[in-house]
Amino acid sequence: MAADMAQVDAVIHRRLASEVALINQISHYIVTAGGKRIRPRLVLLFAEALGFAGPEKYELAATVEFIHTATLLHDDVVDESSLRRGRQTANALFGNAASVLVGDFLYSRAFQMMVGVNRMRVLDVLADATNVIAEGEVLQLMNMHDPDLAVEDYLRVIRYKTAKLFEASARLGAVLAEAPQAVEEACADYGRSLGTAFQLVDDLLDYEGDTHALGKNVGDDLREGKPTLPLLVAMSRSTEDERQMIRHAIEHGEVARLDEIIALVRRTGALDATREAARTQADKARDALSALPASKAKDLLLESCARSVERSS
């Protein structure tokens, strides 16, 4: 997909331009930091799989990347993160105020771009997505430091905060191709399931990976008081003393006993259970692709299902 992604990058760099120097500086720092660019790829692959070849696909691929980048800027401020993709976060480097405001710039620029595509259905999909993502951010904030969080409430945050933009990205390819409603819904199902699998693996890597490979600090989720699935499963399989250790760590965002907690999460099989949950979601995504005709793009989408679960970074 190198040629297609080069087109998307060209749109990104063109659309980042601002007369305000600090906006250019921070935007360039974030967008060129790397990342998997999964969401833009979903727009391109579903458009290709359904026979759409117009330039709008590059514009919308860049649009979803801007929305994603805006959420990262705001996330890092809320979470007080200092490291992302192996580099200092924008808030650590430029300050919280600048990061929030440049995130707002990227959101508003994304809406300018989607208006330019001149399709009401595109506006509908992305306006809904950005609203649901914001709800997910607030839900996650409400769940912080709560060791009694139900698994379903944890999964709801994932559906809102992460999976929704995956879903919208996949749906946009179908919208551009003017696919039948049933096909559009199948594309959305794929994106939602893939996004859920992706986040589940992200959550387990916080206890399985290492800082260099992840590009962020191991144990950040615990430090932020996030009760993710590995911790919830570990608590359900632990002794009372072990359970109290995890509860205390979640309630206080304490990482003094992080090594013990990581060992416990591994020993209870919580990481395997989390990866299996991700694998179930990836299988759902794979099943959704039965609505698409055979193509190279479909093959790549199928491959993404396996990659989302088996990755280590």
Side-chain angles (χ1 to χ4, degrees):
M1 295 188 66
D4 273 340
M5 291 309 297
Q7 294 264 35
V8 174
D9 285 344
V11 174
I12 286 172
H13 289 292
R14 184 171 72 251
R15 292 294 199 169
L16 276 179
S18 167
E19 294 180 0
V20 180
L22 185 59
I23 289 177
N24 288 330
Q25 187 179 2
I26 297 177
S27 299
H28 181 78
Y29 180 81
I30 292 297
V31 172
T32 59
K36 300 174 181 67
R37 298 273 171 91
I38 298 173
R39 298 154 191 82
R41 290 175 189 273
L42 290 180
V43 177
L44 298 178
L45 286 171
F46 276 101
E48 181 181 336
L50 294 168
F52 182 84
E56 294 93 338
K57 66 180 183 180
Y58 301 120
E59 197 78 7
L60 290 182
T63 299
V64 297
E65 185 66 8
F66 278 13
I67 292 172
H68 174 56
T69 303
T71 67
L72 297 186
L73 281 165
H74 289 169
D75 270 0
D76 287 342
V77 171
V78 172
D79 296 338
E80 300 179 0
S81 300
S82 60
L83 194 67
R84 182 182 288 277
R85 296 171 181 168
R87 302 201 303 176
Q88 278 187 289
T89 54
N91 51 298
L93 199 57
F94 301 100
N96 287 342
S99 291
V100 169
L101 294 173
V102 172
D104 292 343
F105 167 81
L106 289 173
Y107 266 130
S108 57
R109 179 53 53 87
F111 273 87
Q112 288 178 323
M113 292 164 68
M114 64 181 88
V115 167
V117 173
N118 198 27
R119 295 198 188 200
M120 183 55 70
R121 183 70 182 123
V122 166
L123 277 170
D124 183 32
V125 169
L126 288 174
D128 177 60
T130 52
N131 191 251
V132 169
I133 291 166
E135 289 181 320
E137 297 283 4
V138 176
L139 280 173
Q140 179 170 269
L141 188 64
M142 292 168 60
N143 295 341
M144 298 283 249
H145 305 290
D146 180 7
D148 297 313
L149 182 71
V151 171
E152 181 49 45
D153 290 331
Y154 157 79
L155 291 173
R156 183 184 178 201
V157 170
I158 288 180
R159 287 195 300 271
Y160 282 34
K161 186 172 177 289
T162 302
K164 189 62 181 182
L165 192 55
F166 276 75
E167 174 192 323
S169 300
R171 190 187 291 274
L172 286 173
V175 169
L176 287 174
E178 298 181 350
Q181 188 63 34
V183 173
E184 181 184 318
E185 292 304 325
C187 296
D189 288 345
Y190 172 95
R192 188 183 312 113
S193 297
L194 186 76
T196 303
F198 186 87
Q199 186 60 55
L200 285 166
V201 173
D202 253 15
D203 290 349
L204 78 85
L205 289 176
D206 203 55
Y207 298 94
E208 185 180 72
D210 63 76
T211 296
H212 177 72
L214 293 179
K216 65 174 187 175
N217 295 311
V218 171
D220 266 355
D221 286 348
L222 187 61
R223 189 175 293 105
E224 294 156 14
K226 292 179 181 175
T228 56
L229 191 59
L231 292 181
L232 297 177
V233 172
M235 278 195 292
S236 73
R237 298 178 177 182
S238 298
T239 66
E240 182 59 28
D241 286 346
E242 291 168 339
R243 192 156 41 248
Q244 288 305 319
M245 176 178 65
I246 296 176
R247 288 181 63 88
H248 184 271
I250 292 172
E251 288 171 345
H252 297 89
E254 183 184 276
V255 291
R257 301 179 71 179
L258 178 62
D259 289 344
E260 291 178 69
I261 291 174
I262 289 175
L264 178 60
V265 166
R266 292 175 175 172
R267 189 172 69 250
T268 57
L271 294 181
D272 290 338
T274 302
R275 199 177 288 275
E276 187 55 38
R279 193 170 287 115
T280 298
Q281 291 296 321
D283 288 343
K284 288 183 181 179
R286 187 179 295 107
D287 291 344
L289 291 176
S290 62
L292 271 61
S295 68
K296 178 62 176 174
K298 180 178 178 178
D299 291 342
L300 290 172
L301 290 166
L302 285 166
E303 184 181 328
S304 293
C305 295
R307 286 179 178 273
S308 69
V309 174
E310 305 307 330
R311 65 195 175 90
S312 58
S313 65

